[in-house]
Each structure stands twice: as structure tokens, then as C-alpha cells.
Amino acid sequence: MPELRTDWLTGRTVLVAENRANRPNEFADELRSSNGEPASAAGAIASTVSDCPFCAGNESRTPPAVYTANDPSGRWRLRVVPNMYPAVGSEADQPTVHPLAEPAVGAHEVIIEAARHIDRMSLLSVTELQDVFVAYAERLRHWRSDGRFNYGLIFKNQGARAGASLAHVHSQLMALPGIPPAVERELQRAEQDFAEQGSCAYCRLIARELSDGRRIVVDRDGYVAFCPFASLQPCEVWLLPKAHEEAFEQMRSREFFQRLAGVLHAVIRKLESLVPGAAYNMLLRTAPWQSADGSGWHWRIELLPRLTSFAGLELATGVHINPLPPESAAGRLRDA
Ligand SMILES: [Zn+2]
Ligand SMILES: [Zn+2]
């Protein structure tokens, strides 16, 4: 029987309809046939590509780096550069085309996660992934302290189906002056719940998921990863610290980033062994910067595989159809 599931914190509603498909391998086949080839062809890709702007040697094809991490020999292994084609502008005083439009002001950066030409985050070593998280925290702190912005988001589009336009492994940062509407609504619910219950809603969610157990994918090293009750897509995974931590960028210790890199690496490898070449979006949701201390936010990473398309129902109603119940998805990911 198809069922409607609503997550009260995020406000998302999902129609879990198992009859529409039931094997992740079928989704992988679908992925291949829709793209003509697997989303990843890492084995066939050269380590450096002469026309790739993110490869070592082609630094002149991007704006100068605002942050770099180097290997022991002094060569860069991670660079952060301003986005050449930003979705938001840096100047508030530019005129808009339409008088009723507002200028979309913000910062937009690209985190180039490796100097060599690899096309998947899973091909980074755990140490390289750790460097990526250190860079995320550093750049979020930078924009947070800038003072003009109230919201910072890190996201990755893995694969063309998830919105990537360049194959070379990278992610993006956006800093925005206002809190986007969907985030604002979640923040309000979380703050209200924190005020009423005297404890963090996400901490209680983690406790419920751990005691239920059916949707847990990984529980180790201070992190828990689970398929959310109202998963938008098959094999969606949320990863949260088990200790209450509001803002990702408050974290500074090497050990913190090391443990996180180990756990996320394991989750991505599981996903990719279940769905080879999966396209996915990764979202790092840290506390909005405007929120008061003790707001009840709790940072998380969302991995959202793009195995089915958003279609008419999703666009018209905001209700997503997910053909794979998260309880089944978590079982398969645990075994992967
Ligand atoms: Zn490249
Ligand atoms: Zn919490």
C-alpha cells in the first residue's frame, strides 16, 4: 500500500510507492540508458586533461585561489577559487533588468578537491576528503565573519544528472544575505520545538532512529548515518554528529575532520557499490548564521542520489514519489 510520509521539521512530504520499482539495480540500468553510458567512466579518464580548468597546470584558467592546501612537496592538492559564472553577484548596487526584481547578492566559490583529474568524491583518499572538510570549515568561517551574510551552504553536484557541468571533482560554497525560505521554515520549527521541549529536535530524532534501528546505515566514531523516514529518493542518507553541534564551521580539530571523512567515505562507497556511477547531490546544512545561540539547529550532511526524476507531481504539489522505502534502502546500504 503506498503511504504518505511527512517530516515535520523539513516540511517535506513523500509518497512511498514501492510498487513503482523495487530494485536499485533497476535504477542503475535506468541511469545508464538515460545517459547513454554509466555516469562514471573513471577508468577511462586521463589523470590530467589539457582543457580541464580544474587540473593542475591550468590554474590560469580560473580566478586566483583564495585558499589552498598543499602536499609536503609544496604542490597544491586543493584550491578554492571564486566561481567564474556565479549564480549570485557580489555588488548590491548593480541595477536589475526588471524594476520589481531584487539583486541576488552573495558569494559563490568552487572547491577544487584534487589536483589530478578524477571525477568522483569516492576516488579521493580519506586524507584528501579530510582536507576538503577543513576547507569547507575555513571558507564558511571566512564568509560568516564577513558580516554581510546570514546563510552559508556547501553543496556538491556529482554527475551530470545531479547538475554537474564539469567532471573534475569539486564542490561549491554559497553565502547569502538572507536565509532561504525552506531553511527559514525549518529553523522556525526547530527553534520553536527547542523552546517547548527544552532539547534539540535533531538530537531526539537521532535517538529515535538509533532505538528503531531499521533505517540506520552506519553508526560509528561519533556519527550516525540513516535513511530519513521521508526520504525524497531511493537511498537518501543523512549523516549527523551524535553529539549536539549546531554549526559545522565551529569544528576545528583534525581529529573531528578525520573521523567525519572516514564515515562519509564509507557511506559513499556503500552507495556506489549498490548503484555504480550514481549521480547525487551532497548538501552540508550548517546553522544559519543569523540564528540565536541555542537555536536548536544541528548540522548535517545530506546525500541525495538522483535515481528518479522530478516530474509533474513533484513540480505541481511538492510531494515527491519514492519507490524504495527507506527501511529497505538502509538494509541494502548496510549490507553493501
Ligand atoms: Zn581536471
Ligand atoms: Zn542536537
Side-chain angles (χ1 to χ4, degrees):
M1 176 71 183
E3 58 185 43
L4 273 173
R5 298 185 177 195
T6 297
D7 176 68
W8 68 272
L9 258 173
T10 57
R12 52 163 69 173
T13 299
V14 178
L15 181 57
V16 178
E18 199 169 1
N19 55 332
R20 294 175 65 86
N22 47 33
R23 213 161 47 86
N25 285 343
E26 288 174 357
F27 308 144
D29 292 340
E30 188 183 308
L31 194 61
R32 285 191 188 89
S33 60
S34 64
N35 287 356
E37 58 177 324
S40 174
I45 288 182
S47 65
T48 302
V49 173
S50 60
D51 62 356
C52 172
F54 294 167
C55 273
N58 293 344
E59 292 81 3
S60 64
R61 298 185 51 189
T62 64
V66 293
Y67 173 94
T68 53
N70 294 335
D71 65 21
S73 68
R75 285 187 300 251
W76 70 268
R77 65 180 193 191
L78 177 151
R79 299 170 78 221
V80 180
V81 298
N83 194 312
M84 290 264 279
Y85 308 97
V88 286
S90 55
E91 300 301 328
D93 51 8
Q94 296 285 321
T96 57
V97 172
H98 193 283
L100 292 180
E102 293 173 47
V105 180
H108 193 174
E109 293 180 336
V110 178
I111 298 101
I112 303 166
E113 297 165 10
R116 66 190 186 286
H117 194 81
I118 52 174
D119 69 342
R120 303 194 69 80
M121 200 178 210
S122 57
L123 298 175
L124 295 172
S125 69
V126 173
T127 308
E128 287 174 319
L129 193 51
Q130 183 181 334
D131 283 346
V132 171
F133 286 126
V134 170
Y136 289 171
E138 180 70 32
R139 295 312 294 166
L140 285 169
R141 283 198 293 272
H142 170 85
W143 289 111
R144 182 179 185 147
S145 65
D146 179 279
R148 290 175 293 166
F149 304 108
N150 285 308
Y151 183 67
L153 173 69
I154 303 268
F155 62 95
K156 168 188 281 292
N157 303 330
Q158 174 71 66
R161 194 169 170 133
S165 53
L166 284 171
H168 191 124
V169 67
H170 69 284
S171 40
Q172 302 178 57
L173 173 149
M174 283 183 109
L176 302 170
I179 303 178
V183 179
E184 178 78 57
R185 285 193 292 276
E186 180 177 336
L187 178 64
Q188 283 171 359
R189 291 185 189 107
E191 284 179 335
Q192 188 182 347
D193 187 76
F194 192 88
E196 287 170 8
Q197 305 285 327
S199 66
C200 163
Y202 305 88
C203 283
R204 299 200 309 278
L205 170 65
I206 291 168
R208 279 199 307 276
E209 289 296 345
L210 284 171
S211 98
D212 182 298
R214 284 175 296 170
R215 287 176 293 275
I216 300 292
V217 177
V218 170
D219 172 20
R220 70 165 219 235
D221 294 340
Y223 293 93
V224 61
F226 58 88
C227 296
F229 173 73
S231 292
L232 296 179
Q233 291 263 306
C235 300
E236 177 178 353
V237 176
W238 283 19
L239 188 158
L240 295 92
K242 287 163 83 172
H244 180 70
E245 293 164 4
E246 274 180 41
F248 171 84
E249 67 274 16
Q250 283 168 344
M251 314 313 293
R252 289 172 183 273
S253 82
R254 293 300 293 181
E255 201 237 332
F256 161 80
F257 295 111
Q258 197 174 11
R259 285 188 291 118
L260 175 60
V263 174
L264 184 70
H265 208 264
V267 172
I268 295 174
R269 296 300 282 260
K270 281 172 172 293
L271 174 65
E272 293 192 352
S273 82
L274 202 59
V275 189
Y280 60 84
N281 298 104
M282 186 191 81
L283 317 174
L284 170 57
R285 296 182 175 273
T286 188
W289 298 333
Q290 209 175 41
S291 63
D293 286 343
S295 67
W297 193 274
H298 188 130
W299 72 263
R300 66 178 182 268
I301 288 174
E302 297 182 12
L303 273 182
L304 191 67
R306 299 292 293 273
L307 302 179
T308 62
S309 301
F310 299 156
L313 183 74
E314 286 82 355
L315 291 170
T317 65
V319 175
H320 289 249
I321 294 185
N322 177 359
L324 185 67
E327 295 75 19
S328 309
R332 291 171 193 212
L333 286 166
R334 276 197 305 273
D335 296 341

